[in-house]
Amino acid sequence: MNFTGIIQYWIGKDPAALDRIDSRRKVMREFCSTTAKLVATTLPFTLGALFNKAYGQSNTQITDVLNYALTLEYLESEFYKSGLDAGVVPAGTPAENAIKTIRDHEMAHVSFLSTVLQSMNVTPVTKPDFDFTAGGTFSDVFTNYDTFLAVAQTFEDTGVRAYKGSAGDLISNNTVLTATLQIHSVEARHASHIRQMRKARGTLLKPWVTGNDIGGVGAAVQFSYDGEENVVQGGVDISALVSDNSATEAFDEPLGPDQIMAILSPFFIP
Amino acid sequence: MNQYKRNGRRDFLLTGFTAGVAGITFLACNKDDDDPANKPPEGSIDLGKGDTGILNYAFALEQLEAAFYMQVIASPFTGMTADERMLLMDIRDHEIAHRDFFKMALGTNAVPMLETDFSVVDFSNRDSVLSTAKTFEDLGVSAYNGAAQLIQNADYLMLAGKIVSVEARHAALIRDLISNGTFADGTAVNSDGLDLVNDPLTVLAAAAPFLKSKIWAGNLPNS
């Protein structure tokens, strides 16, 4: 694995970017800052000047996160496009419609994030090259429908964790924060449905993540689920309130950029 | 952890919480501290200000959801399948976890338990129950998405993020139970691929018909 190469590919040939987008390596803005904020519902997405209102976090930091998100969306959109092109999804079925819906969302995310980056005068990263077999781990990903769905589930569940892990890095820019959270919950909707699709094909699975259960996808994706077994939230032991399983399901857990990159690196061709 | 292991059902009608359990401390952002105009109308429940107010707002919504699903399971609609029951019980327990988390985290700052009004719901009817569930789940997603920018503390923002994606998983499932494939249709996701977002006043207005208690959000941050 050429880690440096992947970082450069991901973050616009700038390895230092990883430091800037990892919340654990920097100090959050001051509590109770009097930053002016926008009201959510009045958010007809006004591009341009709005995006340049970065306060405690530098514009570079914000746009690094956006390029990181864009890279993830390229991964997902290319995956669904390739799968549909390869005919791995049974044609003329509800499943095909669902995958097309998800593909269209991921493509819309690519377009949206690119537009936002351009409005902030930053060049969006170019589309990376992908190996969706992850070096042969999922060698039949575009010929075996079950493998395709398994990889899809991993991408969606991992994507949810990635967006969640970056939200804190966007706290100073309300517009970008809100928009990326609106993407985040769409990815969670996708994950829910993909899991139901796999369940319909015989995998014991729920729409939510139980413990760090990988849903039979294979040990290669364990890192995408590790940490989801957490039952303590904000100092409260949730397992004292509901069953252990429900306690883990009720809260999805974040992952930082370096963890996400380690997980997804096998899918990138540096 | 075995995902099919079920703990024995506990009594979810939790009657009391040990004080001081929560590890979160609350510091209000007292923008409006000295403004005498910010007084709740008689008989209404003031959510409070700053991050405490936002967390109380989430607590109120989770109370509503938990109470709804408790009733759904207590009086199952006609024809509820074993699979539907399992899924709806899971959702009930998630909402209870959220509700009780906020109650414990807020401690003495928590608003009281709210009185709900589900008289418009026919709990014996699948369509009535699921359409109400869809309303609540989509509303919840939009509420958390809209509230995030009002949160000052990054730790609370993270907690909201941990919950909103679970609400989105619920929303997608409920939608699929109503009509398979509608998990993220055009009524939930716009042409930019973005999910629903609403500010607190819009959300509370939508929730009001299901609440006997009157909630007042006049001290919530709006910026």
Side-chain angles (χ1 to χ4, degrees):
Chain A
M1 177 172 83
N2 180 347
F3 200 68
T4 305
I6 291 161
I7 291 172
Q8 289 178 337
Y9 226 115
W10 276 40
I11 320 287
K13 317 286 186 197
D14 178 8
L18 190 60
D19 284 329
R20 292 197 298 268
I21 62 176
D22 191 334
S23 61
R24 286 161 304 176
R25 296 177 195 168
K26 66 179 177 7
V27 179
M28 283 296 165
R29 72 167 177 176
E30 281 180 41
F31 192 66
C32 292
S33 115
T34 52
T35 297
K37 293 188 171 187
L38 300 160
V39 177
T41 32
T42 58
L43 258 194
F45 228 96
T46 326
L47 299 177
L50 279 180
F51 289 105
N52 288 314
K53 284 190 182 177
Y55 310 101
Q57 287 144 345
S58 70
N59 253 4
T60 306
Q61 202 169 60
I62 300 288
T63 54
D64 281 349
V65 174
L66 290 170
N67 260 327
Y68 166 63
L70 175 59
T71 307
L72 296 177
E73 298 294 346
Y74 271 131
L75 174 77
E76 290 183 311
S77 61
E78 285 301 299
F79 173 73
Y80 292 112
K81 277 196 267 188
S82 301
L84 287 164
D85 288 348
V88 67
V89 185
T93 62
E96 186 187 36
N97 288 336
I99 296 299
K100 284 181 174 173
T101 296
I102 295 173
R103 174 203 59 191
D104 290 348
H105 290 161
E106 310 301 7
M107 290 172 67
H109 294 162
V110 166
S111 170
F112 177 79
L113 292 169
S114 299
T115 305
V116 173
L117 279 159
Q118 283 159 353
S119 78
M120 296 177 78
N121 299 316
V122 169
T123 306
V125 290
T126 52
K127 187 178 74 182
D129 294 322
F130 299 108
D131 170 15
F132 292 111
T133 74
T137 303
F138 303 106
S139 57
D140 58 354
V141 63
F142 291 139
T143 53
N144 182 324
Y145 179 46
D146 289 308
T147 304
F148 175 80
L149 288 181
V151 174
Q153 178 196 311
T154 308
F155 284 166
E156 298 295 345
D157 282 334
T158 306
V160 170
R161 300 189 73 176
Y163 275 98
K164 206 186 312 295
S166 290
D169 298 312
L170 303 171
I171 195 168
S172 68
N173 188 316
N174 291 329
T175 311
V176 173
L177 172 65
T178 303
T180 54
L181 285 174
Q182 289 175 268
I183 296 176
H184 168 247
S185 56
V186 170
E187 305 293 347
R189 288 178 188 265
H190 294 170
S192 177
H193 188 77
I194 297 279
R195 286 170 158 268
Q196 285 291 93
M197 292 172 77
R198 294 191 69 225
K199 177 180 171 182
R201 293 182 59 80
T203 303
L204 291 174
L205 206 60
K206 296 173 176 180
W208 24 89
V209 181
T210 308
N212 63 358
D213 181 62
I214 57 177
V217 175
V221 306
Q222 186 62 60
F223 286 127
S224 287
Y225 293 94
D226 281 350
E228 291 280 10
E229 69 277 14
N230 178 33
V231 296
V232 179
Q233 304 293 347
V236 177
D237 180 3
I238 307 299
S239 68
L241 307 170
V242 293
S243 72
D244 287 356
N245 283 349
S246 289
T248 65
E249 292 162 357
F251 295 81
D252 283 335
E253 298 294 325
L255 282 175
D258 47 359
Q259 293 162 300
I260 293 292
M261 289 171 76
I263 287 167
L264 295 179
S265 286
F267 295 99
F268 286 80
I269 301 172
Chain B
M1 185 178 304
N2 179 345
Q3 83 179 83
Y4 297 97
K5 170 191 139 199
R6 304 285 324 176
N7 283 5
R9 292 261 74 78
R10 302 178 191 190
D11 179 7
F12 291 114
L13 298 168
L14 299 175
T15 51
F17 293 89
T18 311
V21 176
I24 296 178
T25 52
F26 286 86
L27 303 169
C29 292
N30 294 331
K31 287 180 197 167
D32 309 317
D33 242 4
D34 303 320
D35 185 348
N38 288 324
K39 289 277 188 290
E42 190 71 24
S44 63
I45 296 167
D46 182 4
L47 292 175
K49 61 186 76 170
D51 282 356
T52 300
I54 296 298
L55 294 175
N56 264 325
Y57 166 54
F59 177 40
L61 295 177
E62 298 292 353
Q63 284 193 49
L64 182 63
E65 288 188 306
F68 171 73
Y69 287 107
M70 287 168 72
Q71 185 62 42
V72 169
I73 297 303
S75 53
F77 55 73
T78 305
M80 184 184 286
T81 66
D83 188 55
E84 286 172 338
R85 180 174 160 78
M86 184 273 289
L87 292 164
L88 291 166
M89 283 179 70
D90 271 8
I91 296 177
R92 176 198 64 180
D93 291 355
H94 302 163
E95 309 299 7
I96 287 171
H98 297 161
R99 179 195 69 188
D100 293 351
F101 161 73
F102 282 114
K103 184 174 174 70
M104 296 184 79
L106 281 156
T108 56
N109 290 314
V111 292
M113 298 306 285
L114 304 176
E115 283 189 79
T116 54
D117 176 1
F118 296 126
S119 56
V120 298
V121 183
D122 178 358
F123 282 95
S124 70
N125 181 284
R126 186 177 186 273
D127 291 346
S128 176
V129 167
L130 293 182
S131 70
T132 308
K134 172 171 168 275
T135 298
F136 286 163
E137 297 296 347
D138 279 344
L139 190 66
V141 171
S142 77
Y144 280 102
N145 281 345
Q149 65 168 319
L150 305 176
I151 297 173
Q152 302 290 323
N153 181 306
D155 291 338
Y156 305 156
L157 175 63
M158 178 58 73
L159 284 162
K162 289 180 175 201
I163 291 174
V164 64
S165 55
V166 175
E167 302 292 352
R169 290 175 190 270
H170 295 169
L173 183 271
I174 295 291
R175 285 167 158 270
D176 280 339
L177 290 180
I178 293 170
S179 176
N180 186 35
T182 60
F183 57 101
D185 68 15
T187 62
V189 180
N190 72 15
S191 60
D192 284 327
L194 305 182
D195 211 321
L196 303 167
V197 57
N198 277 310
D199 69 6
L201 290 181
T202 305
V203 170
L204 290 170
F210 301 99
L211 288 170
K212 282 200 189 79
S213 305
K214 298 293 176 216
I215 292 177
W216 189 69
N219 274 327
L220 283 192
N222 57 17
S223 64

